Amino acid sequence: MSHVLTAHKPMVLNRPDDDTLRMLAPTRQRLERYRALALHSVAYLPLMVGGEPVGAVMLGRRAHSPEFTPDDVELLELLTARAATGIGHALRYTHEHETALEMQRAFLATPHIPGPGVEIASRYLPAGRGAEVGGDWFDAVALPSGRTLLVVGDVMGHGVRAAAAMSEYRSLLRALALQGLAPDRLLAEADRTAHALDLDRVATCVLALLDPAAGQAVLATAGHVPPLLVRPGAAPELADLPVGPPLGTGAGGYESRHCPMPPGTLLLAYTDGLVERRGEDIDTSLAALAGTPIAAGHPLPDILTTVLDRLAPAQSEDDVTLLAARTL
């Protein structure tokens, strides 16, 4: 077998003697298995992907079947070449999928330290095994004057390029946040910059600028699903926000909305993987989210678990990202 992998050529042994058969068997148990099967001929063929071996195929003939002929070997080479092509595609997809997932996990695992008076918790669920990784991200940026900027976004598309674009948008928004811009102006500047840089993916995004001392938040969205607000003693409600275009379109036109956030108010931002269902109107899922029994004072990890248990699909075709924040 090792000779086949190093030489990159098939090897056929018709009617090998007992000594040769013992050399072919890696273990005594394998040798006994060969003898029990009454093998009289063996063919080994390499599986080649991009000029490199990724495995080998072994075929045997027994009892009254004929020996391997040159025509047999030619046909087997065609079959193994096709099999190797499929294996190569699978290996490449697996590598890209794992690379994108690791990139996303690395960015989402970055420590988030909100400003004073705010506690946060987050959760990220990648899509099912058969789906490509998306470009979800979240962030929390501590700003001067005790304010905290929360960001949840979703780059259009999937795979490594979406994960790479996600990192660019995330870094861009973080840098702009430190300039002290209001959420609507921050989105406008991010949209202008992304369009000027000709980023090949647009992104939806929601911003929430929390000011615990003032008891309010300033919200703005770029084509993103609305966050959920849960005030102490009140039922959950979706934030009523004017929706601007996704980032990267160059269209501009963003507006901010001021929302009261008395102490103990919970804000839950998320990506559309939580509420989008094939064949179902998204308004139905949004209403189900607003109807989820959430107590603003419960521990944030427990709240995230409750939301996911009630809404996250068992086999999602898209990533699900949640970011919960509460004013203290």
Side-chain angles (χ1 to χ4, degrees), residues 51-129:
E52 296 295 328
V54 295
V57 176
M58 173 188 170
L59 301 99
R61 283 184 169 170
R62 59 192 290 265
H64 302 294
S65 57
E67 300 176 354
F68 287 106
T69 67
D71 288 341
D72 293 334
V73 175
E74 184 177 354
L75 175 60
L76 291 173
E77 285 185 294
L78 290 174
L79 294 175
T80 53
R82 291 192 176 187
T85 299
I87 292 172
H89 290 161
L91 290 173
R92 184 163 56 253
Y93 169 80
T94 300
H95 175 71
E96 291 181 356
H97 181 85
E98 291 177 350
T99 299
L101 185 57
E102 288 304 314
M103 287 176 62
Q104 192 166 38
R105 283 175 172 165
F107 284 112
L108 295 182
T110 302
H112 305 276
I113 304 176
V118 176
E119 63 171 336
I120 63 172
S122 60
R123 196 75 62 85
Y124 167 65
L125 298 180
R129 292 179 61 87

Side-chain angles (χ1 to χ4, degrees), residues 114 119-123 138 267-269 299-302 304 322-326:
E119 63 171 336
I120 63 172
S122 60
R123 196 75 62 85
F138 55 77
L267 183 145
L268 176 67
L300 295 184
D302 293 348
L304 295 180
L322 295 161
L323 178 61
R326 180 164 51 210

Side-chain angles (χ1 to χ4, degrees), residues 244-278:
L247 300 178
T249 62
Y254 303 99
E255 297 180 47
S256 292
R257 180 69 53 86
H258 289 71
C259 298
M261 286 194 69
T265 299
L266 169 74
L267 183 145
L268 176 67
Y270 51 94
T271 54
D272 56 12
L274 179 69
V275 292
E276 281 194 340
R277 304 286 186 276
R278 182 176 296 182

Side-chain angles (χ1 to χ4, degrees), residues 205-217:
C205 178
V206 63
L207 304 182
L209 182 60
L210 308 186
D211 189 345
Q216 71 168 9

Side-chain angles (χ1 to χ4, degrees), residues 305-324:
T305 298
T306 298
V307 172
L308 290 173
D309 287 346
R310 291 179 65 93
L311 292 174
Q315 293 294 329
S316 176
E317 296 179 3
D318 200 0
D319 298 354
V320 176
T321 298
L322 295 161
L323 178 61

Side-chain angles (χ1 to χ4, degrees), residues 113-120 140-150 177-178 180 208-218 261 325-328:
I113 304 176
V118 176
E119 63 171 336
I120 63 172
V141 184
L143 299 173
S145 303
R147 298 172 301 161
T148 297
L149 180 70
L150 304 179
L178 296 177
L209 182 60
L210 308 186
D211 189 345
Q216 71 168 9
V218 184
M261 286 194 69
R326 180 164 51 210
T327 52
L328 303 177

